[in-house]
Amino acid sequence: MWGLLSPDLIVSMGGLDIPEPAEGSPVRLLRVQGTFPHGAIGGVEVDYLAERGHTRIGYAAAASPRLELIAAERLRGALDRAAELGLPPLDIAAIEIEDADAVLAAVDRWTSGRDAVTAICAHNDEIATLLIAALNARGLVPGRDLAIIGVDNIPLARIGITTVEINIEAYTEVVVDRVMRALDGADIDELCGPITGPDLMRLIVRDSA
C-alpha cells in the first residue's frame, strides 16, 4: 500500500505492528503508540487513595489481550508509585469482564482476612463498575466498605465512580502538532518521545472513593 500511495508521512497509532520503511524509501514513519503516559494514570490513582488514608490497596488489572500493553503500563505506574510512598505491595487480581464469578471471588478476597484491602485501583471504569456491582451483591457499600477508583470517565461513571479522566483533546493537539512538524521536516526521532504535561488527565471525585 505504501508503494501505491507514496505517502509523505505515516502515523502509526497504538496496537499496530508497523514495520520500518525499506532502506532508501522516502516514506517517513511517526510512531504515536507508547507516547501517552499510562503509567502516570496508575500513579494518580495510588496518590489519591493514599491521600485519603488508604495503605492497603488492591489493583484490578485488565485480563483482556487487547488491553495488554496499556494495562501493563498502568499497573507498573501504580506499583512504582506505591513503592515510592512506602506502601505495602498492591494486591493484584486480573479481572476478566465476562467472568462474574471471578469478579466476586476477587472482591471476597480483597474484603476478608487480616490482609483485607480498603481501596482498589481499577484499570478502567468498566472494571470499576463490575466491582461495584459485586460489592452490592455482597451487601457492601462502595466508598464505605471498599473504595474504588477507575479510569476514563465513561458515561456510566457518572453514577458515582471516582475516576481519572484522560484529556483526549490535549493529547490529540500534541499529536497533530508533531505530525505538522514532521511534515515540515523536523527530525522524526525527536518527535516520538513520551508526551507529558499536567493537562493530560484530571481526577474526578465521586462517591466510590
Side-chain angles (χ1 to χ4, degrees), residues 101-122:
D101 290 337
V103 176
L104 286 168
V107 166
D108 289 341
R109 192 187 84 223
W110 280 324
T111 57
S112 62
R114 291 189 309 168
D115 295 328
V117 302
T118 60
I120 300 295
C121 301

Side-chain angles (χ1 to χ4, degrees), residues 147-182:
I148 296 175
I149 180 172
V151 178
D152 290 332
N153 196 31
I154 64 175
L156 190 59
R158 295 166 193 168
I159 64 172
I161 299 176
T162 294
T163 187
V164 181
E165 181 181 62
I166 297 173
N167 189 338
I168 297 299
E169 290 78 10
Y171 176 68
T172 302
E173 286 179 5
V174 176
V175 172
V176 171
D177 176 69
R178 291 186 176 188
V179 169
M180 300 307 296
R181 288 163 60 194

